[in-house]
């Protein structure tokens, strides 16, 4: 099957071809760009670009499975809380499946690209006063009281689909494991999925050792990094604030499963500042790859880990880029509207002068 999720069906969900709702998704590239490796200070750093999925983020891998399962159980409607990517993905897959979708988003905190996308595919968008954590409370309540099928990553079928990011990247490396896999961490569904995938791949003998996970949070939304520093002795909640709106989450839902993922992989958790995230994004953008701000946290995290001296630059790193550059059009350079537009002749002169420099 052409889907990069369903070709691993035996490790995901035993659904029949007729049952599966697929775009298709997955089969994303594993890119090598020396500028990014140099920036992070390591010899080998590959970028697994999940922004190449149909709706521009890794969420499609979990959503194809969750919506397939929603149809199998005869759900009357589906719902999620979201910072914008899950809602875009849900909206697209629900449209394909012909099932009504409700999405709860934090008012004023979702990027323009994601809002436009979620609305375009036709989901009913409900803006909620409060942050993502509040939206998730509402979504859980709606699900419990009204019998609507919840597809946040609390839904185990989402996690099963997201495991294929790891299976696919290991396959692209001919099952030679890297030393470290870095990913941005918000609600911690993906961290959980990566841990589960690695343990399963190892148990099946597909890989002979388990690489370390590096979960990277934005400083202003880093309860999991704080928890890690305290050996996960308690569950930490914070009031989240970061320009990487995708991971602006203070009370991650998949905490326990993610703790297990970090322990099972001898993993580590770091926090990086918004400045570090945006600096890393610029390096990724400028080499022609591009990603949304939250995604750049993975590369910023590798750089931070290197600088801490905890890892050695000769280790092999993979950083996952979770979302497409167009997701957040206001995060990168924006056209300078203050400068007046030029006539054709003036534009020609400007280029001529520029080339002479
Ligand atoms: N990167 C991007 C681009 C995301 O959209 C998200 C989560 C993450 C990383 C973090 O993944 O939550 O599994 O730890 N976005 C969710 C959403 C919350 O609603 O789109 P996580």
């Amino acid at each position: 099957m052409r889907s990069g999720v369903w070709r691993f069906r035996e490790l995901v969900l035993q659904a029949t071809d007729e049952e599966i709702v697929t775009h298709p998704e997955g089969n994303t590239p594993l890119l090598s760009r020396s500028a990014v490796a140099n920036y992070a200070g390591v010899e080998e750093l590959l970028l697994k670009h999940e922004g190449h999925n149909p709706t521009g983020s890794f969420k499609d891998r979990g959503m194809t499975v969750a919506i397939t399962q929603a149809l199998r159980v005869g759900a009357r409607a589906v719902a999620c809380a979201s910072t914008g990517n899950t809602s875009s993905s849900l909206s697209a897959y629900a449209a394909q499946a012909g099932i009504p979708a409700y999405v709860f988003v934090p008012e004023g905190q979702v990027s323009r690209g994601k809002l436009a996308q979620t609305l375009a595919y036709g989901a009913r968008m409900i803006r909620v006063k409060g942050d993502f954590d509040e939206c998730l409370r509402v979504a859980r309540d709606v699900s419990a009281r009204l019998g609507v099928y919840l597809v946040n990553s609390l839904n185990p079928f989402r996690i099963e689909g997201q495991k294929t990011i790891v299976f696919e990247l290991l396959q692209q490396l001919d099952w030679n494991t890297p030393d470290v896999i870095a990913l941005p961490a918000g609600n911690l569904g993906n961290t959980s999925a990566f841990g589960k995938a690695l343990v399963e791949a190892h148990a099946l003998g597909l890989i002979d050792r388990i690489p370390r996970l590096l979960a990277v949070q934005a400083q202003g939304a880093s309860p999991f990094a704080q928890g890690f520093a305290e050996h996960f002795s308690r569950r930490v909640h914070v009031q989240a604030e970061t320009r990487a709106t995708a991971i602006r989450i203070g009370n991650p839902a998949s905490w326990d499963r993610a703790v297990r993922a970090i322990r099972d992989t001898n993993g580590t958790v770091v926090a990086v500042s918004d400045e570090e995230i945006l600096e890393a994004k610029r390096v990724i953008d400028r080499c022609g790859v591009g990603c949304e701000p939250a995604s750049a946290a993975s590369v910023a995290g590798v750089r931070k880990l290197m600088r801490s001296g905890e890892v050695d630059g000769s280790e092999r790193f993979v950083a996952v880029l979770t979302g497409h550059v167009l997701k957040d059009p206001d995060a990168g350079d924006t056209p300078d509207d203050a400068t007046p537009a030029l006539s054709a002749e003036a534009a020609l002169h400007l280029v001529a002068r520029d080339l002479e420099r």
Side-chain angles (χ1 to χ4, degrees):
M1 184 175 265
R2 271 172 58 224
S3 166
V5 171
W6 295 103
R7 66 195 163 83
F8 298 105
R9 186 185 318 199
E10 291 78 0
L11 302 177
V12 173
L13 175 69
Q14 299 282 358
T16 63
D17 283 355
E18 295 68 42
E19 289 173 325
I20 289 172
V21 182
T22 177
H23 194 99
E25 47 291 308
N27 295 317
T28 59
L30 191 59
L31 308 168
S32 169
R33 293 291 183 278
S34 54
V36 181
N38 291 343
Y39 175 72
V42 300
E43 281 168 29
E44 186 181 327
L45 172 61
L46 298 172
L47 304 169
K48 177 69 172 157
H49 207 328
E50 287 294 303
H52 287 240
N53 272 293
T55 76
S57 85
F58 72 97
K59 304 290 182 179
D60 295 337
R61 293 197 187 246
M63 206 55 74
T64 178
V65 184
I67 295 299
T68 295
Q69 184 63 12
L71 290 187
R72 289 174 100 207
V73 299
R76 65 200 266 231
V78 288
C80 73
S82 183
T83 55
N85 278 328
T86 303
S87 59
S88 299
S89 184
L90 172 60
S91 188
Y93 281 84
Q96 186 177 343
I99 186 170
Y102 296 88
V103 306
F104 304 94
V105 298
E107 186 181 15
Q109 291 162 26
V110 176
S111 74
R112 281 193 299 137
K114 297 173 190 177
L115 285 177
Q117 211 183 355
T118 301
L119 290 170
Y121 299 127
R124 180 79 186 275
M125 186 186 324
I126 299 158
R127 290 177 304 134
V128 174
K129 285 187 196 132
D131 55 12
F132 170 83
D133 304 297
E134 179 66 14
C135 290
L136 188 56
R137 264 193 297 278
V138 175
R140 292 174 87 152
D141 203 36
V142 164
S143 163
R145 294 210 211 170
L146 305 176
V148 170
Y149 192 75
L150 187 68
V151 298
N152 277 103
S153 53
L154 292 160
N155 182 315
F157 296 94
R158 282 271 314 279
I159 302 295
E160 292 305 299
Q162 286 172 207
K163 289 188 319 192
T164 64
I165 302 170
V166 167
F167 296 146
E168 191 175 282
L169 86 82
L170 291 171
Q171 189 177 37
Q172 285 167 312
L173 293 170
D174 286 329
W175 308 101
N176 295 311
T177 56
D179 297 298
V180 179
I181 300 177
L183 79 164
N187 211 26
L188 301 177
N190 223 20
T191 304
S192 307
F194 278 38
K196 189 163 190 279
L198 289 169
V199 168
E200 289 178 8
H202 187 245
L204 288 165
L206 293 169
I207 50 174
D208 56 12
R209 65 192 173 84
I210 295 184
R212 295 178 68 192
L213 281 184
L214 168 60
V216 188
Q217 295 210 287
Q219 201 98 60
S222 56
F224 196 54
Q226 283 181 45
F228 177 76
E230 298 171 11
H231 308 286
F232 297 126
S233 56
R234 66 186 176 109
R235 193 169 170 151
V236 183
H237 303 183
V238 302
Q239 189 65 47
E241 190 49 79
T242 168
R243 287 182 65 189
T245 52
I247 51 174
R248 190 177 188 274
I249 294 170
N251 184 18
S254 294
W255 182 279
D256 293 333
R257 288 187 291 180
V259 167
R260 184 163 167 199
I262 295 300
R263 289 194 171 135
D264 285 348
T265 63
N266 186 30
T268 186
V269 189
V270 299
V272 292
S273 67
D274 280 6
E275 291 69 35
E276 289 171 293
I277 289 173
L278 293 174
E279 191 179 85
K281 171 175 156 57
R282 199 175 166 83
V283 176
I284 297 162
D285 289 353
R286 284 295 194 265
C287 68
V289 170
C291 65
E292 69 165 282
S295 307
S298 58
V299 169
V302 172
R303 179 177 156 99
K304 177 136 188 181
L305 196 66
M306 270 306 299
R307 295 193 152 193
S308 74
E310 206 190 303
V311 289
D312 154 1
S314 68
E315 291 183 74
R316 299 169 67 224
F317 294 83
V318 174
V320 179
L321 301 180
T322 44
H324 196 278
V325 67
L326 282 174
K327 286 284 192 174
D328 195 346
D330 300 317
D333 292 345
T334 42
D336 184 0
D337 291 334
T339 320
L342 300 180
S343 68
E345 200 176 340
L348 185 80
H349 280 301
L350 185 135
V351 177
R353 250 188 295 127
D354 214 70
L355 288 172
E356 269 166 28
R357 279 213 232 121

